[in-house]
Amino acid sequence: MTRLRCAIPDDYFDLALSVADWSRIRDRVDITVFKEPFANEAAAAHALKDFEIVCAMRERTAFPRSLFTALPKLKLLITSGMRNASIDSDAAKDRKIVYCGTQYTRDPTAPLTMGLILELTRGIGRENARMHAGEPWQVFAGTEIEGKTLGVVGLGKLGSKIAGLAKAFGMNVIAWSPNLTPEKCAEAGVGYASKEELFSTADIVTVHVVLSQRSRGLVGAADLARMKPTAYLVNTARGPIVDEDALLDVLRQKKIAGAGIDVFSVEPLPSDHPFRTLDNLVLTPHLGYATRESLGIHYSQMVDCIDAFTKGNEPPRRLA
């Protein structure tokens, strides 16, 4: 039997081979791990051109039609998650490439969102850095979130989970999204608000909608301008959902109290990006789903797909 080659790109944490049992397929498949992000599409094409199988991690490497064309040997593409806006699924189908996904059993993004909220309002990381730097004592007076209003943009599975956590902290919760109804809010135990009401009244706004052509720029300059000067914005969804230029402008001018951002339009975030210069912006490098447990689930399910595919069986969770 001809052995197949499997590429695991973008394993930033060097965890892929240790959190899943790849021994199940090593009798048929040779595995190569790429720990650093590809500089551009040409670099990705050069690195992946000899592989029949690719295990993609979220949107870290985009797969437009042009990249599929540059990978003539590709037979099986697996993405973490059951949707990936950076993969052209039509191109995969046209090229007769089997395209599969993996499922979450839980989403660790919700606790990270609350962590960003706590960092913005209590300055935990900031004060920790000062203590380690030898500073004498506290200088940052925090803000309590109990009794404050959290505005949730998108009340799906993740948004609903955030709402529950926020209520456990004693927060009032309101929600809005383009298709959200008062009835859905009532089911989740949160208040319904128009988009204008949410941005003008919430003390913290957190974004939890799926990236699509419809949601690109969903949070724009007019929305940010409505926010109170004491309010914070948190985005752990996808970078392009928020107008980054508009956000940069309101943060520079101190028109809002600050923001916590885990996702960006360009990832990894360029080292010279102006976001890195702002002291009222908490930045994390897309940590939302990146836990050992979550990655272990994704990579284990990728092994399942490869095992089935190489045995001539229909792989689970096929997308195209």
Side-chain angles (χ1 to χ4, degrees), residues 72-92:
K73 296 184 179 181
L74 185 60
K75 302 178 185 299
L76 173 65
L77 175 64
I78 313 168
T79 178
S80 58
M82 292 300 289
R83 65 168 69 93
N84 189 328
S86 70
I87 293 177
D88 187 333
S89 58
D90 289 335

Side-chain angles (χ1 to χ4, degrees), residues 22-43:
W22 297 87
S23 66
R24 294 167 50 200
I25 60 171
R26 285 191 179 275
D27 61 326
R28 290 153 276 156
V29 179
D30 295 320
I31 301 167
T32 301
V33 175
F34 296 88
K35 300 175 186 178
E36 300 296 328
F38 300 123
N40 48 46
E41 184 180 324

Side-chain angles (χ1 to χ4, degrees), residues 224 233 242-251 256 259 261 275:
L224 298 173
L233 177 80
V242 176
D243 183 332
E244 290 184 343
D245 290 335
L247 178 60
L248 181 64
D249 183 59
V250 296
L251 290 171
I256 64 174
I261 306 297
F275 274 172

Side-chain angles (χ1 to χ4, degrees), residues 82-159:
M82 292 300 289
R83 65 168 69 93
N84 189 328
S86 70
I87 293 177
D88 187 333
S89 58
D90 289 335
K93 186 176 181 180
D94 292 344
R95 292 287 310 280
K96 304 295 191 295
I97 294 167
V98 176
Y99 176 37
C100 300
T102 65
Q103 295 174 318
Y104 287 94
T105 57
R106 57 181 182 267
D107 193 333
T109 303
L112 178 75
T113 301
M114 292 306 302
L116 288 172
I117 291 172
L118 292 173
E119 174 58 32
L120 288 167
T121 56
R122 298 305 303 270
I124 300 167
R126 183 185 310 182
E127 290 299 303
N128 171 69
R130 292 185 68 257
M131 292 287 284
H132 281 284
E135 297 289 340
W137 207 231
Q138 64 194 34
V139 297
F140 180 75
T143 298
E144 297 180 18
I145 62 173
E146 184 173 357
K148 297 296 193 300
T149 296
L150 178 69
V152 181
V153 178
L155 197 62
K157 183 178 179 181
L158 182 54

Side-chain angles (χ1 to χ4, degrees), residues 53-241:
I53 303 169
V54 173
C55 297
M57 181 52 63
R58 305 306 297 142
E59 291 94 2
R60 291 178 180 178
T61 294
F63 278 78
R65 183 174 293 272
S66 53
L67 182 55
F68 281 109
T69 301
L71 303 178
K73 296 184 179 181
L74 185 60
K75 302 178 185 299
L76 173 65
L77 175 64
I78 313 168
T79 178
S80 58
M82 292 300 289
R83 65 168 69 93
N84 189 328
S86 70
I87 293 177
D88 187 333
S89 58
D90 289 335
K93 186 176 181 180
D94 292 344
R95 292 287 310 280
K96 304 295 191 295
I97 294 167
V98 176
Y99 176 37
C100 300
T102 65
Q103 295 174 318
Y104 287 94
T105 57
R106 57 181 182 267
D107 193 333
T109 303
L112 178 75
T113 301
M114 292 306 302
L116 288 172
I117 291 172
L118 292 173
E119 174 58 32
L120 288 167
T121 56
R122 298 305 303 270
I124 300 167
R126 183 185 310 182
E127 290 299 303
N128 171 69
R130 292 185 68 257
M131 292 287 284
H132 281 284
E135 297 289 340
W137 207 231
Q138 64 194 34
V139 297
F140 180 75
T143 298
E144 297 180 18
I145 62 173
E146 184 173 357
K148 297 296 193 300
T149 296
L150 178 69
V152 181
V153 178
L155 197 62
K157 183 178 179 181
L158 182 54
S160 296
K161 187 173 181 179
I162 290 294
L165 291 175
K167 288 191 288 183
F169 277 88
M171 300 188 75
N172 305 311
V173 183
I174 59 176
W176 170 85
S177 70
N179 297 320
L180 188 62
T181 64
E183 292 75 21
K184 174 66 175 178
C185 286
E187 291 176 11
V190 306
Y192 174 81
S194 67
K195 188 181 187 186
E196 292 76 13
E197 291 170 336
L198 185 143
F199 278 90
S200 62
T201 61
D203 297 293
I204 301 167
V205 175
T206 181
V207 180
H208 300 289
V209 294
V210 174
L211 178 62
S212 66
Q213 287 304 316
R214 185 180 180 187
S215 66
R216 284 181 181 272
L218 182 68
V219 178
D223 305 307
L224 298 173
R226 290 189 180 95
M227 294 177 68
K228 298 185 289 188
T230 54
Y232 298 95
L233 177 80
V234 176
N235 185 12
T236 56
R238 290 296 183 271
I241 296 169

